[in-house]
């Protein structure tokens, strides 16, 4: 009788534990080759992660709502073009996860100053988050967007300090 009670108690604990599984973590691990450069091709809406001359992954991306041309000022909804650095991460982004691009650089700041503009900022590679799951086309304010699942992989693969080149 004692054996039956112990077995029943353990079975009940196993059933309860299987019913209360936590959702999968958005933080993934990556043990492959180091991502040495991120390359974005705005014209083809593609982002590539490279390890020197070896392509590791490619992603389809959405861009700023005004995708043609280099970002010049705050509010123009353009995605920057040129050479930048991944310089920060936001694990609590409203867009699921995000990694920051160091726009504006010194040249961007100088160009904006010459024209009497604010250069803007807060340019990220990010997911969609709960608010933008159904967004279509180029919908960001100048950022580079991928699906939440893809962003989990990118967040794990790309380290702060990684160069990013954004082509027209």
């Amino acid at each position: 009788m004692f054996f039956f009670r112990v077995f029943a108690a353990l079975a009940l604990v196993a059933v309860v534990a299987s019913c209360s599984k936590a959702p999968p973590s958005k933080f993934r691990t990556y043990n492959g080759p180091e991502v040495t450069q991120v390359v974005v091709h705005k014209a083809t809406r593609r982002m590539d992660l490279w390890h020197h001359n070896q392509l590791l992954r490619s992603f389809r991306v959405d861009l700023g709502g005004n995708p043609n041309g280099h970002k010049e000022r705050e509010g123009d909804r353009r995605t920057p073009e040129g050479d930048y650095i991944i310089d920060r991460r936001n694990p609590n982004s409203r867009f699921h996860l995000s990694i920051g691009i160091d726009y504006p650089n010194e040249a961007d700041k100088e160009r904006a100053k010459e024209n009497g503009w604010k250069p803007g900022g807060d340019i990220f590679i990010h997911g969609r988050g709960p608010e933008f799951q159904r967004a279509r086309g180029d919908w960001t304010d100048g950022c580079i967007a991928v699906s939440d699942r893809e962003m989990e992989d990118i967040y794990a693969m790309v380290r702060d300090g990684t160069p990013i080149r954004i082509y027209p």
Side-chain angles (χ1 to χ4, degrees), residues 14 28 94:
R28 302 194 177 278
R94 75 184 254 222

Side-chain angles (χ1 to χ4, degrees), residues 39-75:
V39 177
V40 176
H41 299 273
K42 288 172 54 174
T44 58
R45 307 301 190 274
R46 192 180 82 237
M47 180 173 64
D48 300 327
L49 306 185
W50 290 88
H51 172 72
H52 301 293
N53 62 352
Q54 176 190 3
L55 178 62
L56 300 175
R57 293 277 305 270
S58 278
F59 303 91
R60 185 187 179 305
V61 299
D62 297 328
L63 302 171
N66 183 11
N68 297 321
H70 175 60
K71 181 166 194 60
E72 296 178 322
R73 58 183 156 198
E74 187 174 74

